[in-house]
Amino acid sequence: GDASASGERAGCSCGGGMLQVVTCIRARWDYLVQGPLPPLHDVIACRDSEGAARWCAAVRRRRHHAVSGRVAAEALELAVRAGDADATTASGGTCLHEAAALDDEVLVQGLIDAGASLEAFDFMGHTPLDRAQEHKSAACIDLLRRERSTRQTAELLTVMELIYKVSHFKRLRRHEFLALAEVLIQRDFAEGQVVVKQGDIGQE
């Protein structure tokens, strides 16, 4: 029972042929000997090469048949060496792009916890969510959408708190207040862009 639970925590599955069984046994053994994987946030922040090696080995085990598993592991190694979860690969993407395309939910969650950007673009102008959708990575699509919603909500609440400190804005109606907050969470504005029309938010 304990070995089975350890295998599940190590992110392996015994379904399939003999190769999957061998892979699962290795994952369980590593978990029992070395314990759970260290938090990816700490691995990247401390440029922990040993922790990175364990994470990369786990990625390759989960996707032993996929070339993309090797690509994702290499992207992770790059991020750890740089001490930056958003370090860019030769394709201009990040490790999160590769993990999302691979549908590696464990790695995607680790990168999210490490603060990886959900809005980073690769050379094709794709975000990690775009890559997940392109490769029909169902688990990662759901995970990235939930995280994006969570981050946007948190950012909106922060901006609303800042706006409310300005006495002039306290006179706004609820829908005007929300509209202003939604405008202000944008990071980039194009020259000449209409951000808000006169009368949409207050009368002044």
Side-chain angles (χ1 to χ4, degrees):
D2 291 342
S4 175
S6 297
E8 291 173 3
R9 287 193 293 270
C12 72
S13 170
C14 285
M18 181 57 69
L19 188 55
Q20 283 90 342
V21 172
V22 172
T23 300
C24 188
I25 290 173
R26 287 176 177 171
R28 291 180 178 180
W29 176 255
D30 289 348
Y31 184 90
L32 290 172
V33 173
Q34 298 181 300
L37 290 171
L40 194 52
H41 175 276
D42 295 342
V43 172
I44 293 174
C46 299
R47 302 186 183 187
D48 177 5
S49 58
E50 291 185 6
R54 291 189 59 199
W55 268 92
C56 290
V59 171
R60 294 187 180 100
R61 276 197 302 269
R62 286 192 295 272
R63 296 294 185 270
H64 57 82
H65 60 286
V67 173
S68 51
R70 175 179 55 80
V71 174
E74 291 174 351
L76 177 55
E77 290 172 344
L78 175 64
V80 173
R81 286 198 302 271
D84 180 5
D86 293 325
T88 55
T89 65
S91 65
T94 65
C95 186
L96 188 56
H97 282 88
E98 304 302 339
L102 188 60
D103 202 22
D104 190 329
E105 191 174 5
V106 176
L107 180 55
V108 167
Q109 184 62 64
L111 290 164
I112 286 173
D113 294 341
S117 172
L118 306 183
E119 309 303 331
F121 294 107
D122 61 15
F123 287 155
M124 299 297 293
H126 295 157
T127 66
L129 179 56
D130 293 333
R131 291 287 300 279
Q133 292 171 329
E134 178 185 355
H135 291 268
K136 297 181 172 58
S137 304
C140 288
I141 289 173
D142 291 341
L143 180 55
L144 290 167
R145 282 176 174 169
R146 288 197 305 270
E147 180 62 21
R148 174 180 282 180
S149 177
T150 298
R151 291 189 184 185
Q152 287 177 339
T153 299
E155 189 172 17
L156 182 60
L157 290 173
T158 299
V159 171
M160 288 173 65
E161 290 176 359
L162 292 173
I163 293 174
Y164 197 70
K165 293 180 180 179
V166 181
S167 58
H168 175 75
F169 293 139
K170 290 182 180 180
R171 298 195 295 270
L172 296 177
R173 298 174 183 173
R174 182 175 180 274
H175 72 278
E176 295 172 336
F177 192 80
L178 288 172
L180 179 59
E182 289 174 351
V183 166
L184 293 179
I185 63 173
Q186 294 186 49
R187 286 289 178 266
D188 299 305
F189 297 97
E191 184 176 353
Q193 175 184 348
V194 176
V195 176
V196 63
K197 296 179 181 178
Q198 185 176 7
D200 286 349
I201 300 178
Q203 298 301 318
E204 300 179 26

